[in-house]
Amino acid sequence: CVREGWSEKLKTQSNEGCNINGNLLVNKVRGNFHIAPGRSFQQSHMHVHDMQSYFAGAQEGAKFDFSHVIHHLRFGEAVSKTDMSNPLDNTSKTTDQRELEVGMMYQYFLKIVSTEFRFLNKPDIFTNQYSVTQHERVLNGGTMNGLPGLFFNFEISPMLIIYKESRTSFTSFLTGVCAIVGGIFTVAGMIDGFIYRAERTLKRKMEMGKAL
């Protein structure tokens, strides 16, 4: 490794991060997906991470930075930003120096609702929208009361939201125009009657004053 220069390459890349991009297939049940250190395996039907290397590196002074930026996260087919936005898009978290020494656990609790978009001039879109609650916790360096990393806990709602694009008919347009015109005439008649009565009252008072 020394002869081929790999030690120098590892040093130059020691402070670099990762860019994760891809798709996951999840069941329509409550669950989670996460990004955490350590080799993962199944034990007694449980998902477990081997943290031995992580603890060994921490004891040797290694610092694991869990700062991250979520550029885009969605469930289902993509929809334009004007129709629907994803609350976790462009979310940024920074781990400070104290937290680097003990580890950080970032949790995102997602409530997913099935959504259908029905357009007039293009195919319907079946996708999902979600709300999110964020929580972060500093882990104890000695006992490690949790697993460091990023955790996305999602729950599927049994509801379905439908956004339907519609266009009013020509008869509805005419009805609205007639209602507006009738309202204008009604208000104009009321103003005209008020001005006429006020003028008659003033003229009558002036005539009574001349008689006296």
Side-chain angles (χ1 to χ4, degrees), residues 33-203:
F33 58 93
H34 52 267
I35 302 170
R39 184 178 62 88
S40 62
F41 57 93
Q42 295 289 333
Q43 183 178 10
S44 301
H45 304 287
M46 294 181 61
H47 182 81
V48 183
H49 283 252
D50 184 5
M51 301 295 293
Q52 183 176 0
S53 300
Y54 179 86
F55 288 125
Q59 292 176 357
E60 294 176 1
K63 297 179 180 180
F64 301 92
D65 191 351
F66 293 98
S67 302
H68 58 277
V69 178
I70 304 174
H71 297 285
H72 185 62
L73 178 65
R74 62 178 171 84
F75 293 84
E77 192 174 348
V79 183
S80 63
K81 293 184 178 180
T82 56
D83 294 326
M84 187 182 72
S85 61
N86 299 304
L88 276 182
D89 288 358
N90 299 317
T91 298
S92 177
K93 296 290 183 180
T94 303
T95 305
D96 60 28
Q97 187 67 25
R98 180 182 65 86
E99 295 164 346
L100 282 175
E101 299 176 356
V102 294
M104 281 294 297
M105 182 179 187
Y106 295 96
Q107 293 178 299
Y108 300 94
F109 299 93
L110 312 176
K111 185 74 172 182
I112 304 174
V113 181
S114 300
T115 306
E116 180 181 351
F117 289 88
R118 297 179 181 177
F119 301 99
L120 289 174
N121 301 321
K122 53 184 178 180
D124 297 344
I125 296 179
F126 298 90
T127 184
N128 300 278
Q129 58 181 328
Y130 62 90
S131 60
V132 59
T133 302
Q134 305 180 27
H135 177 70
E136 56 187 72
R137 180 157 55 99
V138 180
L139 303 179
N140 190 320
T143 59
M144 194 62 70
N145 56 336
L147 185 64
L150 280 68
F151 295 82
F152 299 87
N153 305 278
F154 60 87
E155 183 178 354
I156 310 295
S157 172
M159 297 172 52
L160 171 65
I161 297 178
I162 299 176
Y163 294 99
K164 185 176 181 181
E165 188 178 20
S166 60
R167 182 184 294 118
T168 57
S169 61
F170 184 70
T171 54
S172 299
F173 172 74
L174 286 180
T175 303
V177 171
C178 293
I180 293 173
V181 173
I184 293 174
F185 273 103
T186 301
V187 174
M190 293 172 61
I191 295 174
D192 180 70
F194 174 76
I195 295 175
Y196 176 76
R197 285 192 297 271
E199 183 182 3
R200 291 290 301 271
T201 303
L202 181 61
K203 185 180 294 186

Side-chain angles (χ1 to χ4, degrees), residues 202-212:
L202 181 61
K203 185 180 294 186
R204 189 179 300 110
K205 288 182 177 181
M206 291 177 63
E207 293 177 350
M208 292 175 62
K210 287 180 180 180
L212 293 174

Side-chain angles (χ1 to χ4, degrees), residues 21-33:
N21 183 19
N23 300 314
L24 288 175
L25 293 177
V26 297
N27 295 325
K28 282 193 172 183
V29 293
R30 186 175 182 177
N32 78 86
F33 58 93

